[in-house]
Amino acid sequence: MPREITSFSNSTVKFIRSLRDKKARRSEGLFLAEGLRIITEARDEGRLPRLIAFGPQGAQHPLAREIIAATEAAGGDAILTSPDILSKMSGKDNPQALIAAYDQPDTSLEALDRSASDIWFVGEKLRDPGNIGTILRTGDAVGAGGLILIDDCADPFAVETVRASMGAIFTQKIAQARWEDYLPWLRSGKGQLVGTSLQTDYDYRDAPYEAPCFILIGNESQGLPEPYEAECDLLVKIPMHGRADSLNAAIAAAITAFEVRSSWRNR
């Protein structure tokens, strides 16, 4: 049976709330996911939370009851509490009906199976957690293997990232590496590194994409550094027809990835 928490000062309430902070997530090796849809996506991928908290309304849906029971059966902690305490846990006035804490996966390059997909995303110094989450969601949609975050990117396990991923945080692999470590890993096997850049005349619709294709997306405001562009096997440009000189990083990633898929289908 779930245990009930009625006090705002309960240590578990403080613990869950602390996981909104990057330092605590790193220390505990956990991250938060909120809402039945995302938590169900996790269950469907074989992932159950270490801890799940819910209000009286949260356990009414049959899927929620299944996940709560499965969490307890697997040795996890199920907590019944009030909407006000859920709000304190989530840091939002209108919290989701369920909040769950999951183990963070291994994010080393060595944990990736590069043969698992013919498309991968690579993000360089992406600062916006919403962009990272949206790229993960795009990766799920396009059948990518996952996202490799290069250098100092935002935390892929931030609450904002998880929310923007719409569950893809559980279907896409995530790796984190320095550029000087990523390049040898990439060149140790087959793979075409494709950079999105303004410094090329190669239209993204006319490019000779090869599989596996690693799509490199630069920092939201600065784009790719010249040394990184120089290492690319191919640079492609998405033409702008208005006053904007570039696209949002997540949108550029999506357009490029679907064009890669399209070009292979039309061969």
Side-chain angles (χ1 to χ4, degrees), residues 33-36 39 52-55 58-59 64 67-68 86 95-100:
E34 302 178 25
L36 180 59
I39 291 170
I52 187 166
F54 53 94
I67 294 168
I68 291 166
L86 275 179
Q96 295 280 351
L98 298 101
I99 300 173

Side-chain angles (χ1 to χ4, degrees), residues 176-239:
Q176 297 173 290
R178 307 302 299 181
W179 178 250
E180 56 268 26
D181 297 319
Y182 168 71
L183 270 182
W185 176 87
L186 175 68
R187 300 308 181 194
S188 68
K190 187 179 178 182
Q192 181 192 44
L193 185 61
V194 176
T196 55
S197 173
L198 298 176
Q199 310 306 316
T200 181
D201 294 325
Y202 222 137
D203 192 301
Y204 79 107
R205 293 164 295 192
D206 301 323
Y209 299 112
E210 299 174 4
C213 182
F214 291 80
I215 301 171
L216 178 59
I217 305 295
N219 173 267
E220 290 91 346
S221 61
Q222 299 173 351
L224 291 173
E226 288 186 13
Y228 291 44
E229 290 187 345
E231 295 289 349
C232 290
D233 302 305
L234 179 66
L235 291 175
V236 297
K237 182 178 183 178
I238 301 172

